Amino acid sequence: MTPITRTPELEAVVARARQAAREAGELDLPTGPFDSPWVPELQAAVVALLEDGTYDEVVRLIAASDPDLA
Amino acid sequence: MLVVDDALLLRVLGGVAVSSVMAELERGELYTTGVWYHRLSRAAHDDRSVGTLSRELATFDQDVQHYILESLDQLPDRIGLIGWRRLVPVMSVLNVGRNLNLLAAEALAVGLVVGADIGVTTDAPLVREGAATLDLGYRVIRV
């Protein structure tokens, strides 16, 4: 395949998809402050598994068996 | 507008993402993709990987562990998720000069439809190269 960027065909398809998403309410998200319901201990555990490589290792295992998730 | 990967999504759900990402959420401009959401859910539920995660979560009692999984199963409507009825036509005509897997095709399609940058925690070469070809913003967000 020859690399291309924004062809008129692609722009038209994107415009139709954007309009359909707008009509479906998918582009009108709630706004305002977000307070996670997770307790501080859980937040700390999540940060730990993200920063110590645990999550990356889990993703590596998943991606190894399913290239569409890599 | 920002489309985030699964690791950033997990940080957002936990309220521990960097302020620039949380600001996108508060402006109603934060999206993820179905595949990234699926990968996060797989990471939490998959038999082959749940042992790794459960070691980290073992310090919590069963109720809290159940709560964690349940909270991942109910993606807040604050986080945008574009339906495949809209995305498949876009994914089908993407041509970035190489084959795209589902993860990359959906991420690029969402970026185009929403008009958003794509934010990842770990460099994703297929997404990066596709974003460059399509003139989409691409950021590796170090947290």
Side-chain angles (χ1 to χ4, degrees), chain A residues 1-57:
Chain A
M1 288 188 289
T2 302
I4 57 173
T5 54
R6 304 282 189 98
T7 64
E9 179 197 15
L10 176 60
E11 293 287 8
V13 173
V14 168
R16 283 197 296 273
R18 185 177 297 136
Q19 179 62 26
R22 182 173 292 112
E23 290 172 1
E26 293 175 337
L27 301 183
D28 186 21
L29 303 180
T31 61
F34 176 75
D35 294 318
S36 172
W38 294 20
V39 298
E41 293 82 0
L42 177 54
Q43 290 175 322
V46 167
V47 169
L49 70 88
L50 284 166
E51 295 186 352
D52 70 3
T54 300
Y55 188 78
D56 286 344
E57 175 61 14

Side-chain angles (χ1 to χ4, degrees), chain B residues 1 3 13 28 62 103 113 118 120 129 140:
Chain B
M1 294 280 193
V3 185
L13 292 173
Q62 289 291 318
L103 183 147
V113 170
I118 297 171
V120 298
E129 293 167 15
V140 177

